[in-house]
Amino acid sequence: SQQGEEDPQALSIQEGENATMNCSYKTSINNLQWYRQNSGRGLVHLILIRSNEREKHSGRLRVTLDTSKKSSSLLITASRAADTASYFCARPDSGSARQLTFGSGTQLTVLP
Amino acid sequence: GAGVSQSPSNKVTEKGKDVELRCDPISGHTALYWYRQSLGQGLEFLIYFQGNSAPDKSGLPSDRFSAERTGGSVSTLTIQRTQQEDSAVYLCASSLLGLDYNEQFFGPGTRLTVL
C-alpha cells in the first residue's frame, strides 16, 4: 500500500519559476528518496535525504525533511520545460525486502 | 555501463493468455525488484530478489503471478491467465546490495495491455 502522499497532485508553472512539491508519510523512516518519471516509464533517482538531515541540495534541487511532521518537500528552482515530469517521494520499507513504498506523485508541467 | 533493460517494451495480449516479462539488471547488482504501476498511480511492489536468498513474494497480487531469477542475474515475471486488471506498466529495478540507502535503478518498463 502507498504510505506517502504528495501534494499537489498536479502543478503547472511558467519556465523560470520555482516548483515546490510536498510529501507526507506515516511511519518512521531511515531515509526518504525522490524520483522523477517521464512519460509513465522508468524512474530516475534524484536525491536521498537521511533521517538525521534537514536539508540537502543537488544542482537546482533542494530537499527538506521534517521528521517531527513526517513530511518532506522538493523544490526545483528556475524551472525548465525539460523538468516536466511526475515526481514521487519514496521510502524504504521496514521489512527485509527494503522495497520502496511510493506516494501517488505530483505531475509537474513547466510551460515554455 | 548499461542500465537496467526490460523487454518487451510493449505487450498486448488477450484475456486468459500467459505473458512473460524480462528484466536484465545492472551487472553486479545483487538486489532486483519488480513493481507495477497502474495508470496515474504510484508504484506497487511485487517481488524482491537478493542474491541467492529465497525471494520476497509478499507483494504479488495473486497466484497467477510468479517470478524467477536465474543465475542471480536476469529475471522473468510471468503472469498466467491474464485479466484486464493486470494492464499496467511493469517496472524492474536493481540496486547494488539491496540496503535501504542504496539507490534503485529502474528500467524503462513494459507496458502490458490485456484486451
Side-chain angles (χ1 to χ4, degrees):
Chain A
S1 63
Q2 294 177 356
Q3 293 293 311
E5 295 296 331
E6 287 94 335
D7 79 272
Q9 290 186 337
L11 179 62
S12 183
I13 59 174
Q14 295 291 328
E15 208 165 26
E17 294 181 339
N18 296 341
T20 299
M21 290 159 272
N22 303 296
C23 168
S24 61
Y25 56 92
K26 297 179 181 178
T27 60
S28 62
I29 58 171
N30 291 327
N31 67 71
L32 190 136
Q33 303 175 33
W34 285 88
Y35 284 78
R36 182 183 72 202
Q37 183 179 38
N38 290 84
S39 303
R41 301 300 282 223
L43 281 77
V44 174
H45 182 268
L46 294 176
I47 198 166
L48 180 152
I49 186 166
R50 297 183 185 278
S51 59
N52 61 353
E53 297 176 310
R54 291 295 170 260
E55 187 170 310
K56 199 163 184 178
H57 296 253
S58 176
R60 294 184 295 113
L61 305 180
R62 181 172 77 98
V63 168
T64 62
L65 179 64
D66 187 334
T67 53
S68 66
K69 295 181 179 178
K70 291 186 167 58
S71 67
S72 174
S73 67
L74 170 67
L75 168 68
I76 304 175
T77 60
S79 63
R80 305 167 182 167
D83 295 329
T84 295
S86 291
Y87 292 82
F88 295 89
C89 67
R91 65 166 182 80
D93 191 81
S94 56
S96 61
R98 298 291 191 265
Q99 74 270 20
L100 293 173
T101 298
F102 285 81
S104 52
T106 293
Q107 171 61 50
L108 173 67
T109 302
V110 182
L111 303 171
Chain B
V4 178
S5 61
Q6 292 186 244
S7 61
S9 56
N10 287 284
K11 177 70 177 178
V12 179
T13 190
E14 294 179 346
K15 178 181 173 181
K17 295 287 180 66
D18 297 351
V19 295
E20 283 190 354
L21 312 179
R22 177 187 168 105
C23 171
D24 279 275
I26 293 173
S27 178
H29 280 194
T30 63
L32 186 148
Y33 304 80
W34 282 98
Y35 294 88
R36 177 172 71 174
Q37 184 178 30
S38 300
L39 186 63
Q41 300 295 312
L43 277 69
E44 173 191 5
F45 166 72
L46 297 177
I47 189 169
Y48 162 74
F49 295 89
Q50 172 58 284
N52 296 321
S53 302
D56 182 324
K57 306 178 182 180
S58 59
L60 294 179
S62 78
D63 58 9
R64 296 186 295 104
F65 288 72
S66 62
E68 62 178 22
R69 188 180 185 190
T70 54
S73 182
V74 172
S75 177
T76 302
L77 176 69
T78 301
I79 309 173
Q80 296 178 309
R81 304 180 304 281
T82 52
Q83 303 295 312
Q84 288 183 332
E85 61 263 28
D86 298 335
S87 295
V89 176
Y90 289 81
L91 292 155
C92 174
S94 70
S95 71
L96 187 58
L97 296 173
L99 301 177
D100 63 0
Y101 52 83
N102 282 164
E103 174 183 350
Q104 293 188 19
F105 294 82
F106 283 80
T110 294
R111 184 178 300 279
L112 174 67
T113 303
V114 182
L115 301 176

Coordinates of all heavy atoms in Angstrom, one line a residue, chain A residues 18-21 60-64 73-77:
Chain A
N18 N 9.8 28.8 -9.6 CA 10.2 27.7 -8.7 C 9.0 26.7 -8.5 O 7.8 27.2 -8.5 CB 10.6 28.2 -7.4 CG 11.9 29.0 -7.5 OD1 12.7 28.9 -8.4 ND2 12.1 29.8 -6.5
A19 N 9.2 25.5 -8.4 CA 8.2 24.5 -8.1 C 8.4 23.8 -6.8 O 9.6 23.3 -6.6 CB 8.2 23.4 -9.3
T20 N 7.4 23.7 -6.0 CA 7.5 23.1 -4.7 C 6.5 21.9 -4.6 O 5.3 22.1 -4.8 CB 7.3 24.0 -3.5 OG1 8.3 25.1 -3.6 CG2 7.4 23.3 -2.2
M21 N 7.0 20.8 -4.3 CA 6.2 19.6 -4.1 C 6.4 19.1 -2.7 O 7.5 19.1 -2.2 CB 6.5 18.5 -5.1 CG 6.1 18.9 -6.5 SD 7.0 18.0 -7.8 CE 8.4 19.1 -8.0
R60 N 19.8 22.3 -9.0 CA 18.6 23.1 -8.8 C 17.6 22.5 -7.9 O 16.5 23.1 -7.7 CB 18.0 23.4 -10.2 CG 18.9 24.3 -11.2 CD 18.1 24.6 -12.4 NE 17.8 23.4 -13.2 CZ 16.6 22.9 -13.4 NH1 15.5 23.5 -12.9 NH2 16.4 21.8 -14.2
L61 N 18.0 21.4 -7.3 CA 17.0 20.7 -6.4 C 17.4 21.0 -5.0 O 18.6 21.0 -4.6 CB 17.1 19.2 -6.6 CG 16.8 18.7 -8.1 CD1 16.9 17.2 -8.1 CD2 15.5 19.2 -8.6
R62 N 16.4 21.2 -4.2 CA 16.6 21.3 -2.7 C 15.5 20.5 -2.0 O 14.3 20.7 -2.3 CB 16.5 22.8 -2.3 CG 16.7 23.0 -0.8 CD 16.8 24.4 -0.4 NE 15.5 25.1 -0.4 CZ 14.8 25.3 0.7 NH1 15.2 24.9 1.9 NH2 13.6 26.0 0.7
V63 N 15.9 19.6 -1.2 CA 15.0 18.7 -0.5 C 15.1 19.1 1.0 O 16.2 19.2 1.6 CB 15.3 17.3 -0.7 CG1 14.6 16.4 0.3 CG2 15.0 16.9 -2.1
T64 N 14.0 19.2 1.7 CA 14.0 19.3 3.1 C 13.2 18.2 3.8 O 12.4 17.5 3.1 CB 13.3 20.6 3.5 OG1 11.9 20.6 3.1 CG2 14.0 21.8 2.9
S73 N 9.8 18.1 1.4 CA 9.5 18.9 0.3 C 10.6 18.9 -0.7 O 11.8 18.8 -0.4 CB 9.2 20.4 0.7 OG 10.4 21.0 1.2
L74 N 10.2 19.0 -2.0 CA 11.2 19.1 -3.1 C 11.0 20.4 -3.8 O 9.9 20.7 -4.2 CB 11.0 17.9 -4.1 CG 11.8 18.0 -5.4 CD1 13.3 17.9 -5.2 CD2 11.3 16.9 -6.4
L75 N 12.0 21.2 -3.8 CA 12.0 22.5 -4.5 C 12.9 22.4 -5.8 O 14.0 22.0 -5.7 CB 12.5 23.6 -3.6 CG 12.7 25.0 -4.2 CD1 11.4 25.6 -4.7 CD2 13.5 25.9 -3.3
I76 N 12.3 22.8 -6.9 CA 13.0 22.9 -8.1 C 13.1 24.4 -8.4 O 12.1 25.0 -8.7 CB 12.4 22.1 -9.3 CG1 12.2 20.7 -8.9 CG2 13.2 22.3 -10.6 CD1 11.4 19.9 -10.0
T77 N 14.3 24.9 -8.5 CA 14.4 26.4 -8.7 C 14.7 26.6 -10.2 O 15.2 25.7 -11.0 CB 15.6 27.0 -8.0 OG1 16.8 26.3 -8.3 CG2 15.4 26.8 -6.5

